[in-house]
Amino acid sequence: MKITSIETRAVRPRWLLVKVQTDEGVTGWGEATLEGHVPAVAAEIRQRAEQLLGEDPRRVQHHWQRLYRHAFYRGGPVQGSAISGIEQALWDITGKWLGVPVYALLGGAVRDRIRMYRHVGGDSLADLEASARQAVAAGFGAVKTSVFGAGARFLEPPAVLAAAVERVAVVRETVGEGVDIGVDFHGRVSPALAVPLARALEPYGLMFIEEPCLPESVAALKGVARATSIPVATGERLYTKWGFREVLQEGAAAILQPDPSHAGGIMECRFIAAMAEAHFAAIAPHCPLGPVALAACLQLDACTPNFLIQEHVTLGEGYLVEPFRLQDGYLAVPEGPGLGIEVDEEALVGRADEGLWSNPSAYAEDGGVADW
């Protein structure tokens, strides 16, 4: 079997799909979405695809090594996302060729269903409460919310912290003690502000706090982790096993959130999960992306013993021939070959996009640039 073409499809709202075709008629799909940088990733894929034309798509790890190591300048979000999308598509082809799900090639399923969580939010406390009620009514046993909008300052007065805590209190009161809550700090908060905020949130029994500070300084992340009893989660902006190594060695996070569409693909995230398991850490893959990215996550989740919970924002309606179906906050382990999905290519035509979505610009009260 030989690879005959690799192409990208930018589709609304901000997703980049990868389609790999072969001379035996087996087609693989992946997702290389990098929010706000889709044209750059698409260009990287076009350039790197030349190395793979005419090659056997089933040599997945060999091609990963070529794409990563022969680039000389390694790592980062653009290269990581490009390789990830291609890698997922190669696994999809391999699984389809063998007639088995990808997870069957990575040791087999270790669970029967996959726990999901829903995002809840709202500008007002009433909206937040309504969103949380909807999640519980839909059967979710876990939710995630945010406490700070864009533009948080290095330090904030007590009133601002109290307002942030009140949002979590509303969610806890609404969902009850039987539902897990994750709180995303979104990397908007300085370590000096993250510590008192985390301590103030401890009475609410959180499942985790996510990106309590930016991951560039493992020492800072470790400092926050040591200052609170709430498990720290991080990883959506880390790439490949090398990006996670120091976080694990230093005990800076208890939950890793690698993204199979950024961190290097399905197998690379399985390697990261194995490293985490050896350090008694769990994984909760990052996926506020499209349905193909979710399909890749589910293959990882199915075969990973230290999997905790899965993020999602879509079940694939309007993109997949058969969208995923939730039951009581869980998805069944996919049984179809490859990624277990069939992309609705006719629907994609009506959803074509130039990939020019960008993050909103955020500014502090004094007009200085702030994190979004």
Side-chain angles (χ1 to χ4, degrees):
M1 190 189 308
K2 308 266 184 215
I3 297 171
T4 56
S5 69
I6 300 177
E7 58 186 89
T8 60
R9 304 272 184 91
V11 297
R12 298 191 302 270
R14 56 182 188 179
W15 301 332
L16 182 67
L17 306 185
V18 181
K19 181 181 181 182
V20 178
Q21 294 180 285
T22 68
D23 61 352
E24 294 190 14
V26 184
T27 298
W29 288 89
E31 185 168 338
T33 299
L34 182 64
E35 308 94 301
H37 303 278
V38 161
V41 178
E44 175 76 3
I45 290 173
R46 285 194 299 272
Q47 180 180 354
R48 309 296 283 163
E50 296 297 322
Q51 298 181 33
L52 300 182
L53 295 180
E55 296 286 344
D56 185 342
R58 296 163 295 189
R59 301 183 66 188
V60 183
Q61 185 60 203
H62 176 67
H63 296 320
W64 192 99
Q65 294 289 328
R66 293 174 61 203
L67 292 172
Y68 184 76
R69 295 167 62 184
H70 287 175
F72 187 76
Y73 295 101
R74 305 175 182 178
V78 172
Q79 185 201 47
S81 299
I83 292 177
S84 296
I86 294 171
E87 190 258 13
Q88 293 171 16
L90 298 185
W91 276 120
D92 193 25
I93 290 170
T94 303
K96 288 175 177 175
W97 181 73
L98 291 169
V100 297
V102 172
Y103 63 77
L105 305 176
L106 303 179
V110 297
R111 56 184 45 84
D112 300 321
R113 57 182 188 159
I114 296 166
R115 192 182 189 209
M116 314 292 290
Y117 69 79
R118 174 177 284 187
H119 293 263
V120 298
D123 292 334
S124 69
L125 293 179
D127 290 341
L128 178 60
E129 179 183 353
S131 179
R133 288 193 186 282
Q134 290 170 2
V136 174
F140 285 92
V143 298
K144 187 172 81 175
T145 191
S146 297
V147 291
F148 271 118
R153 294 174 294 190
F154 187 84
L155 293 173
E156 294 284 3
V160 174
L161 289 178
V165 173
E166 185 178 15
R167 290 181 63 84
V168 175
V170 166
V171 175
R172 174 55 75 201
E173 182 178 355
T174 303
V175 303
E177 296 294 330
V179 174
D180 282 316
I181 301 173
V183 173
D184 191 356
F185 286 29
H186 216 273
R188 294 168 174 154
V189 182
S190 70
L193 183 59
V195 169
L197 178 57
R199 287 176 174 167
L201 293 174
E202 286 177 354
Y204 300 96
L206 301 183
M207 178 168 55
F208 60 76
I209 52 173
E210 178 177 340
E211 280 199 327
C213 60
L214 290 170
E216 283 90 342
S217 171
V218 174
L221 195 63
K222 179 180 178 180
V224 176
R226 291 292 180 272
T228 179
S229 61
I230 305 173
V232 167
T234 195
E236 67 185 73
R237 287 186 269 193
L238 298 175
Y239 315 102
T240 75
K241 62 181 78 69
W242 294 284
F244 287 84
R245 175 184 56 81
E246 188 180 0
V247 172
L248 289 169
Q249 287 179 340
E250 295 298 320
I255 300 166
L256 300 188
Q257 299 171 304
D259 190 320
S261 287
H262 300 329
I266 297 170
M267 189 69 171
E268 189 68 5
C269 287
R270 187 63 190 88
F271 292 152
I272 292 165
M275 291 167 56
E277 185 180 8
H279 288 81
F280 304 104
I283 69 159
H286 177 256
C287 189
L289 309 179
V292 180
L294 176 59
C297 285
L298 297 179
Q299 298 296 320
L300 172 68
D301 303 339
C303 65
T304 301
N306 55 326
F307 164 75
L308 178 67
I309 199 164
Q310 179 60 58
E311 179 178 27
H312 76 291
V313 296
T314 178
L315 296 175
E317 297 92 340
Y319 297 89
L320 303 181
V321 173
E322 293 187 16
F324 297 107
R325 299 187 184 279
L326 278 162
Q327 184 174 1
D328 299 326
Y330 286 82
L331 289 179
V333 169
E335 297 181 352
L339 294 183
I341 57 172
E342 182 181 352
V343 174
D344 188 341
E345 294 197 62
E346 291 185 7
L348 294 188
V349 174
R351 297 178 181 274
D353 187 60
E354 294 182 357
L356 299 180
W357 181 91
S358 61
N359 292 318
S361 298
Y363 298 93
E365 283 184 347
D366 61 2
V369 173
D371 288 302
W372 173 67

